[in-house]
Amino acid sequence: MVPFAGFSMPLSYGDVGAVASHHHVRTSAGLFDVGHMVQSNFRGATATAFLEWLTPSSLSVLAPFSSTLSVLLNERGGIIDDTVITKHADDAFYVVTNAGRRERDLAWFRAKLAEWNASEHAAAGKVALEVLEDWGLLALQGPEAAQYLQNLTTFDLTTLTFGRSAFVPVKGTKLHVARGGYTGEDGFEISIPPAQTEEIAALLSKSPVQLTGLGARDSLRLEAGMCLYGQDLDEDTTPVEAGLTWVIGKDRRETGGFIGAEGVLKHLKDGPPRRRVGMIVEGAPARQGAKIFAPSSSDLVGVVTSGIPSPTLGKNIAMGYVESGWHKKGTEVEVEVRNKLRKAVLTPMPFAPTRYYRG
């Protein structure tokens, strides 16, 4: 167990190492306890407009029971947090945010709700926030996840494609099940009322499913090219720099109207000063904070934000930011690892192929 965001979190379970757990998720199925994350409901007649003010996403055109990755932005266009937003209806949204940003996010939500509900928008209806305290959240991930869950429910999971969610009956309880996850594999994120969390966790963790800790979670998400807030994203980074331009709705790029729009639209128009990239590093794994240099030069062009030896590829992979112009795939750079410059080649992400279920 290790401390994380005020919780004690499992790094690994029993004598199963992180690499073995990683491979098990890629070949079979693993269960992650992610109940530390913050689950919230936003409800009210103007909930869509409110969340479109807080984020650059086009939520008004999102179909009911569809999800999108999004970002909460500060006034400069920097990322307060990354989040998954699920639309249940025009007046009801389910939002999951990061545990490490809990205090910042909830204070931001409450301040902006007070502002919104005191404005002319409230004439069309106020918005309310409900934080789902103590609710469980489990991520069942891997190529055997769907078959395992299907054996526990009468709901036809083949109708639930990537990015869709539904209330699914399991053991007499309707669970909110969203198809997706943080590993690049097919899988589900399952929200569970407090009283049923332990029972459902026990049900979902029988063979072939293995309980999987934070060690494997980090290597799986990095192979999938996914960002970790606080390492790969922060309040001084815009979604354009972070390679998350796709979360900005096409209509929002024209109309703006969201907090931080000025900074984001400027980066869209003029290009960002730096960009998030993936790279394969020779010799030794580059870790967070490793400096990236132009080849055979003392010119600093970037910094590594995450790096590991990839269990799937058998190569050292890393993610980081480089100055614009140095970001094209195939570009060679040098990374300082253990006081030695190592050759690295910029590589498209995800590093490992994703296997989402799209029907």
Side-chain angles (χ1 to χ4, degrees), residues 222 278-287 306-311 313-319 337-338 342-345 347 351:
L222 187 46
M279 66 198 84
I280 291 176
V281 184
E282 290 185 4
R287 304 293 188 180
S306 291
I308 53 158
S310 162
L313 303 178
K315 298 175 180 178
N316 298 314
I317 62 173
M319 182 189 294
V337 183
R338 298 174 194 159
R342 317 269 180 175
K343 181 181 169 186
V345 178
T347 309
F351 297 101

Side-chain angles (χ1 to χ4, degrees), residues 4-5 7 9 33-38 97-99 102 214 217:
F4 181 81
F7 290 82
M9 294 292 295
D33 178 2
V34 287
H36 61 302
M37 298 184 78
V38 185
T97 49
N98 286 304
R102 180 188 175 97
L214 286 182
R217 187 170 173 81

Side-chain angles (χ1 to χ4, degrees), residues 38-81:
V38 185
Q39 304 175 67
S40 302
N41 286 320
F42 288 87
R43 295 193 184 93
T46 56
T48 300
F50 173 71
L51 289 172
E52 283 195 336
W53 179 46
L54 258 56
T55 75
S57 299
S58 294
L59 302 175
S60 53
V61 298
L62 199 63
F65 286 90
S66 292
S67 303
T68 181
L69 179 70
S70 191
V71 284
L72 302 172
L73 300 177
N74 62 28
E75 285 85 351
R76 303 186 312 278
I79 300 171
I80 293 173
D81 203 359

Side-chain angles (χ1 to χ4, degrees), residues 249-269:
K250 287 180 182 172
D251 57 318
R252 315 301 307 280
R253 299 177 199 191
E254 302 295 324
T255 60
F258 54 90
I259 295 168
E262 187 180 351
V264 171
L265 298 182
K266 187 177 190 306
H267 278 186
L268 279 174
K269 180 173 176 285

